[in-house]
Amino acid sequence: MKVVELVDVSKIYQTEFYEVKALENVSLDVEEGGFVVIMGPSGSGKSTLLNLIGCLDKPTSGKVLINGVETINLSDKELTELRRDTIGFIFQTYNLIPTLSALENVELPMIFKGLSRHERRRRAKKLLSVVGLEREVDRKPKELSGGQQQRVAIARALANDPKILLCDEPTGNLDTKSGEQVMSIIKEQNEERGVTVILVTHDPTLAKYGNFVIRLRDGKIESIEGG
Amino acid sequence: MYLELARRNLQRAKVRSLLAIIGILIGVMAISAIGIFGESLKATVLESFEDVANELIVGPNYYAGYRYIDEKDVYQIEKLPYVESAIPVKSDTLLVESKKLKAYLQIYGLTEKDAEELFDAEKGIIRLKGSCVVGKNLAETWDIKVNSKITINSREFRVAGILEDTGARFDINPSTALIVSQDDFDKISDEGYTMVIVKADRLDHVDNVKKAIEERLNSREDKVYVFELSIILERINEAFSQINIFLMAIASISLLVAGVSILNIMLMSTIERTKEIGVMRAIGAYRTTILKIFLLEAAILGIIGSSIGSVLSLVGGYAIDYIILQNVKYVFQPGILFYLLLGFSVGLTTAVISGLYPAWRASRLEPIEALRFE
Ligand SMILES: Nc1ncnc2c1ncn2[C@@H]1O[C@H](COP(=O)(O)OP(=O)(O)O)[C@@H](O)[C@H]1O
Ligand SMILES: [Mg+2]
């Protein structure tokens, strides 16, 4: 089953003085359980592509389907629910909420979903132990290392048991060892729990984790390898 | 949990939150303290009129050709239901002379019993047998002592007593009155009864008494007019309420300032937290959730500021009453609760209204734009 389907997607950024064609006629299918690595140099449109898949942004033209659902026609509320229940985001800069502890950060998506306090506590603790942070539950983000913060972010992304994990340069700010730790957790989620992973990076060493590697250049797909 | 989130965000910017709270606090305090003071002032003024509140004054209707009230009409009034007492008063303007001064003054003729009911003596006694009693002010300006002699219309009177100033009355002013017995009055003047001071047994019977007097005496022709002193109380009450509202309105300008500062603080906060808002939207927060979080922050500021402000306004009200009225007994009264609640709710409302626009703006942010914000 196709969890993500892009049909002829273009994205043009209109600024005051010029326009940028960030994506041009990109078509792409991602099957459930796949691990797709999208590679390309900086400015090639990777983040733009990921944000479209994550329903954070809308294409200038073309269609984006998530789980077979056309997202163009969805309301802001429906898009929010789609992101909350089906998609997990992992950002390069972790983006944890600084006032909340590790545990509370992981709880947040479940709060938005309306889970009971007891249920979300239990689940957040379990997820933090999956990423190896059972001892750090009460720490605030600034009391954690970059690698630890990114692992909290992974736990948060997994909070509502998403079908799709979207990772934008997840190792971009990490040293090699932490980067590998983070990648192995993501890989594990993909292999053991069947979570579909779409990961964008400009780091060629990450290509090995994917069973598809898509190369992007100047907003166009250059090649697709694997399968 | 959203409450917790809001609380922590406020704690993150402690100084800023504190300033917002102080702003609200001062506004609430100003409103409530002034409210308390106004209420105390009103109570003080009303209290001085309390004795006369259930009085009615009946006078002859000059416009229909009546100059005096008949003795039998006085008798009729006395017999009406709800009437506790009816005191007929004669009065005339006569030449009064002491050792040094002479002047035409208003002289009242009362029975000794009635004079005792209406007034208290501060010095000497109320005795009207060939003697008179004088008001305190008059005694002071004329340098009159107990046992001094004065002549009224060439007839000599000994001053038996000086009246205590028991506050304003509308019938006979106790500070400037000069009172003789009715027998003596008849010897110096030809005037008849120029008014009857009627006391109803209860304040809420005043209207009934007024109607009864009018029905009885004015059945054929309007012989008398009846004037209720409680009307004056009502007017005073109204006037003070209006003054109070006006003063509180001025005080609420300080709340307006506080509101603007909250608006400012919250706007800064939404800008600083743009990225966080984007993150929350990305992981599943509705626009309304963002709105809720920011409004809660404003409400928390409002509640804390208003609560402290309300408590402090008691202190403030106490201080103002102490300084201006030299009397603090009206500060701790159930009626004051209204002003505390008013101050509190106006403070809270101001905070929430000021938070509305920043919260709305935060909730309108597009997730992608917010995430890109650095
Ligand atoms: N909001 C924006 N406004 C204008 N141009 C943008 C905006 N976002 C991205 N771009 C441009 O679109 C292109 C693709 O950006 P992006 O998707 O961030 O690339 P990548 O993630 O591969 O580095 C770049 O040229 C970038 O400058
Ligand atoms: Mg990028």
Side-chain angles (χ1 to χ4, degrees):
Chain A
M1 186 199 155
K2 291 180 204 161
V3 281
V4 176
E5 195 179 349
L6 303 190
V7 184
D8 250 352
V9 168
S10 296
K11 178 75 187 180
I12 299 167
Y13 290 110
Q14 195 78 49
T15 69
E16 213 177 320
F17 307 105
Y18 56 92
E19 57 173 50
V20 184
K21 287 187 181 160
L23 287 177
E24 267 188 272
N25 301 94
V26 171
S27 293
L28 175 70
D29 294 342
V30 179
E31 290 289 332
E32 185 163 12
F35 195 127
V36 180
V37 176
I38 299 175
M39 297 242 285
S42 176
S44 56
K46 307 182 296 293
S47 294
T48 303
L49 182 63
L50 207 65
N51 291 336
L52 290 176
I53 297 171
C55 304
L56 289 171
D57 206 355
K58 294 199 161 149
T60 312
S61 66
K63 285 198 255 182
V64 178
L65 290 88
I66 304 295
N67 270 335
V69 178
E70 169 78 86
T71 57
I72 281 277
N73 307 318
L74 298 183
S75 67
D76 185 80
K77 186 166 177 282
E78 288 165 323
L79 289 173
T80 303
E81 283 161 6
L82 188 67
R83 288 195 298 266
R84 185 188 71 193
D85 302 338
T86 314
I87 297 168
F89 285 96
I90 297 168
F91 306 95
Q92 179 173 356
T93 50
Y94 332 127
N95 289 351
L96 299 176
I97 306 295
T99 47
L100 300 182
S101 69
L103 188 75
E104 289 162 339
N105 263 289
V106 179
E107 276 184 77
L108 205 50
M110 298 186 267
I111 292 170
F112 294 151
K113 195 171 180 174
L115 261 59
S116 74
R117 184 187 180 84
H118 174 76
E119 174 69 10
R120 57 181 206 243
R121 274 281 143 95
R122 194 183 58 76
R123 195 168 154 72
K125 278 188 183 145
K126 203 180 103 195
L127 285 166
L128 281 172
S129 75
V130 167
V131 297
L133 291 173
E134 51 273 90
R135 304 229 317 266
E136 282 81 6
V137 286
D138 291 326
R139 296 229 198 133
K140 293 278 166 67
K142 67 167 182 285
E143 299 158 355
L144 296 168
S145 72
Q148 287 173 325
Q149 287 190 54
Q150 193 60 299
R151 274 141 66 197
V152 174
I154 296 173
R156 179 179 70 183
L158 296 171
N160 286 331
D161 212 0
K163 250 188 163 149
I164 309 163
L165 210 49
L166 301 179
C167 317
D168 193 344
E169 313 257 14
T171 61
N173 283 14
L174 301 179
D175 59 84
T176 322
K177 191 164 154 283
S178 308
E180 275 170 5
Q181 208 174 9
V182 161
M183 283 311 298
S184 74
I185 295 169
I186 295 173
K187 186 73 185 164
E188 187 182 280
Q189 289 297 317
N190 171 252
E191 282 175 349
E192 287 169 19
R193 310 205 32 262
V195 179
T196 307
V197 176
I198 302 175
L199 185 148
V200 307
T201 182
H202 66 275
D203 178 2
T205 64
L206 298 187
K208 63 174 186 281
Y209 292 97
N211 39 34
F212 286 91
V213 177
I214 296 174
R215 284 180 203 283
L216 211 58
R217 180 173 290 276
D218 296 334
K220 287 179 218 148
I221 292 182
E222 209 176 38
S223 69
I224 302 180
E225 301 155 27
Chain B
M1 183 61 208
Y2 292 134
L3 197 71
E4 182 62 21
L5 201 66
R7 191 182 68 79
R8 288 197 202 171
N9 278 320
L10 292 176
Q11 269 183 345
R12 181 155 47 162
K14 281 203 190 70
V15 176
R16 209 192 284 166
S17 305
L18 198 70
L19 287 177
I21 287 172
I22 290 173
I24 289 283
L25 178 159
I26 290 173
V28 168
M29 198 176 139
I31 292 184
S32 297
I34 284 178
I36 290 172
F37 167 66
E39 193 66 23
S40 309
L41 188 64
K42 188 166 83 183
T44 308
V45 173
L46 287 183
E47 196 194 50
S48 63
F49 290 114
E50 215 169 47
D51 297 343
V52 296
N54 56 349
E55 264 182 26
L56 303 98
I57 292 175
V58 182
N61 187 3
Y62 303 120
Y63 301 103
Y66 291 91
R67 184 142 184 218
Y68 309 116
I69 296 171
D70 296 347
E71 193 135 7
K72 68 171 202 305
D73 286 343
V74 175
Y75 185 72
Q76 292 221 43
I77 293 172
E78 230 165 13
K79 289 281 160 300
L80 289 171
Y82 308 131
V83 170
E84 194 183 278
S85 65
I87 298 172
V89 181
K90 293 181 174 180
S91 69
D92 196 0
T93 307
L94 298 169
L95 183 67
V96 182
E97 290 166 284
S98 73
K99 264 175 274 156
K100 291 172 230 154
L101 297 160
K102 60 178 179 179
Y104 278 94
L105 296 177
Q106 188 87 4
I107 312 297
Y108 295 98
L110 280 171
T111 65
E112 194 176 282
K113 186 174 116 317
D114 289 343
E116 275 175 332
E117 192 186 321
L118 292 177
F119 305 105
D120 292 318
E122 190 179 274
K123 290 181 194 132
I125 50 166
I126 295 178
R127 193 176 161 79
L128 305 176
K129 290 210 167 60
S131 53
C132 67
V133 291
V134 300
K136 195 178 169 184
N137 253 358
L138 183 67
E140 273 166 17
T141 49
W142 281 52
D143 195 21
I144 294 171
K145 306 249 156 46
V146 175
N147 288 330
S148 298
K149 299 253 162 52
I150 56 172
T151 57
I152 306 172
N153 220 4
S154 311
R155 198 179 177 88
E156 195 173 74
F157 287 87
R158 186 179 64 82
V159 175
I162 292 168
L163 299 177
E164 186 185 326
D165 193 351
T166 47
R169 298 181 64 100
F170 295 93
D171 37 31
I172 302 172
N173 187 340
S175 72
T176 57
L178 212 170
I179 298 162
V180 300
S181 74
Q182 293 193 339
D183 289 342
D184 289 334
F185 187 90
D186 290 340
K187 292 171 190 157
I188 52 177
S189 167
D190 299 328
E191 296 283 310
Y193 294 122
T194 47
M195 76 172 153
V196 183
I197 300 169
V198 180
K199 256 200 169 103
D201 57 354
R202 277 177 25 206
L203 191 56
D204 47 342
H205 284 153
V206 167
D207 276 340
N208 301 40
V209 171
K210 178 178 157 84
K211 278 207 195 81
I213 293 172
E214 282 169 346
E215 266 168 33
R216 184 63 58 91
L217 302 185
N218 292 348
S219 54
R220 268 185 287 147
E221 202 182 355
D222 283 352
K223 274 160 75 177
V224 298
Y225 68 85
V226 184
F227 180 71
E228 305 158 85
L229 293 182
S230 56
I231 283 182
I232 294 178
L233 289 189
E234 266 166 44
R235 293 285 146 74
I236 292 173
N237 211 335
E238 264 169 42
F240 272 96
S241 301
Q242 277 165 3
I243 292 171
N244 216 0
I245 289 170
F246 174 72
L247 287 178
M248 287 194 294
I250 290 176
S252 46
I253 292 174
S254 60
L255 255 190
L256 201 71
V257 176
V260 172
S261 92
I262 286 200
L263 183 83
N264 187 23
I265 282 164
M266 299 277 297
L267 270 180
M268 266 166 72
S269 178
T270 53
I271 291 166
E272 273 170 21
R273 279 149 64 194
T274 301
K275 180 136 190 182
E276 257 171 64
I277 294 164
V279 173
M280 292 206 270
R281 295 281 285 126
I283 64 175
Y286 297 122
R287 286 192 196 287
T288 52
T289 306
I290 304 295
L291 191 78
K292 215 191 295 180
I293 290 171
F294 277 86
L295 277 185
L296 260 173
E297 286 179 29
I300 291 174
L301 291 177
I303 288 173
I304 296 177
S306 305
S307 311
I308 302 176
S310 295
V311 174
L312 287 186
S313 67
L314 275 179
V315 179
Y318 189 96
I320 303 178
D321 277 12
Y322 184 79
I323 293 165
I324 299 181
L325 301 178
Q326 271 107 40
N327 178 0
V328 292
K329 70 176 167 182
Y330 296 112
V331 177
F332 302 103
Q333 282 208 333
I336 292 323
L337 206 61
F338 168 76
Y339 292 95
L340 294 186
L341 285 177
L342 182 77
F344 183 88
S345 43
V346 172
L348 180 56
T349 312
T350 307
V352 171
I353 289 178
S354 312
L356 217 52
Y357 172 67
W360 177 82
R361 243 179 68 144
S363 76
R364 296 318 295 175
L365 281 171
E366 286 301 330
I368 185 67
E369 305 295 339
L371 269 174
R372 209 175 278 141
F373 185 87
E374 286 304 333

